[in-house]
Amino acid sequence: AIVIFVLLSAALAWFAGRPMVRFAREPEAFRQWVAGHGVWGMAAYAGMVFLQVLVAIIPGEPLEIAGGYAFGAVWGTVLCLLGSILGSVAVFAVVRKWGIPLVEVFFPREKLEKLSFLRTSPKRTALLWLVFTVPGTPKDLLTYAVGLTDIKFSRFLLIVSVARFPSVITSTIGGSALGMANYKFAIIVFALTAVISLAGIAIYNYICRKKGKNE
């Protein structure tokens, strides 16, 4: 079953993921395609985000920006969150089913070992909430890693939906500003997001180092 999942993920990443990201990097063409497909275009976009979360090697940032560009900040955020929540639930389910051998398909063991504190830390929920909220942190890795813990599904669902909102909306607002040709505002949004992302990465690395030393 794991081999089949790996082969399917590789095929999806190659035949669907690459064209999907390339399409998302051409936001005007993406918006025209969406406008020509109505509700199906919205469903297709949510499906693209779902696929990006499931096949963790596909980058998510271009899709988030494209969503804001094509649908605006509100609907772009709603559709992006919907796709990411469904994708996260699917990841949680398959990791609970097949465990660490499946996770190691996408992430090397040394990265997973940095997150071993998630299995024992009494502050796990607070740490996950923080890391999922801040842009720039490896949320796809965390989504897979959390499935290896004994966290309750209801708590996991709350984190990947509510806590992820600030990270998503910064990208969709920037994409929406680009779509409205408000380039100054877009530059400000992306610059602030870059600063927050750098801070988020620093916080994430600090947490991993500190917790790793304590174990």
Side-chain angles (χ1 to χ4, degrees):
I2 293 176
V3 170
I4 292 172
F5 182 83
V6 170
L7 293 175
L8 178 60
S9 298
L12 287 173
W14 182 262
F15 293 108
R18 288 197 316 153
M20 182 179 74
V21 173
R22 186 167 58 246
F23 195 23
R25 285 174 176 166
E26 299 175 355
E28 186 57 39
F30 183 73
R31 180 159 63 177
Q32 291 176 3
W33 182 86
V34 164
H37 290 78
V39 176
W40 290 111
M42 300 172 74
Y45 172 71
M48 291 177 184
V49 178
F50 172 89
L51 176 62
Q52 182 273 319
V53 175
L54 185 63
V55 184
I57 59 175
I58 301 174
E61 190 71 18
L63 277 176
E64 294 176 1
I65 296 173
Y69 191 102
F71 300 103
V74 175
W75 277 107
T77 301
V78 169
L79 294 172
C80 187
L81 279 175
L82 176 62
S84 65
I85 291 170
L86 294 176
S88 298
V89 169
V91 168
F92 190 87
V94 295
V95 172
R96 282 288 171 91
K97 177 69 175 179
W98 291 307
I100 196 167
L102 175 65
V103 180
E104 287 183 331
V105 169
F106 298 103
F107 305 103
R109 181 174 286 272
E110 55 268 22
K111 283 190 175 182
L112 295 175
E113 289 176 351
K114 290 182 179 180
L115 299 173
S116 59
F117 65 87
L118 292 176
R119 294 192 293 269
T120 57
S121 175
K123 299 179 180 179
R124 176 176 60 193
T125 300
L127 292 172
L128 286 173
W129 195 278
L130 172 65
V131 176
F132 268 91
T133 299
V134 179
T137 54
K139 297 175 182 60
D140 294 332
L141 168 60
L142 286 167
T143 301
Y144 272 85
V146 171
L148 297 172
T149 71
D150 60 351
I151 191 171
K152 293 181 179 179
F153 174 73
S154 57
R155 187 169 297 177
F156 168 80
L157 186 61
L158 186 65
I159 291 171
V160 298
S161 54
V162 179
R164 198 165 192 163
F165 176 78
S167 178
V168 171
I169 198 170
T170 53
S171 297
T172 55
I173 287 178
S176 178
L178 287 176
M180 294 185 294
N182 191 348
Y183 300 118
K184 290 183 179 180
F185 183 66
I187 291 172
I188 292 172
V189 171
F190 289 134
L192 288 175
T193 302
V195 172
I196 296 172
S197 297
L198 291 174
I201 293 171
I203 293 171
Y204 169 78
N205 289 332
Y206 171 77
I207 291 173
C208 289
R209 288 195 302 268
K210 182 179 179 180
K211 294 298 181 179
K213 290 179 182 179
N214 291 339
E215 290 190 349

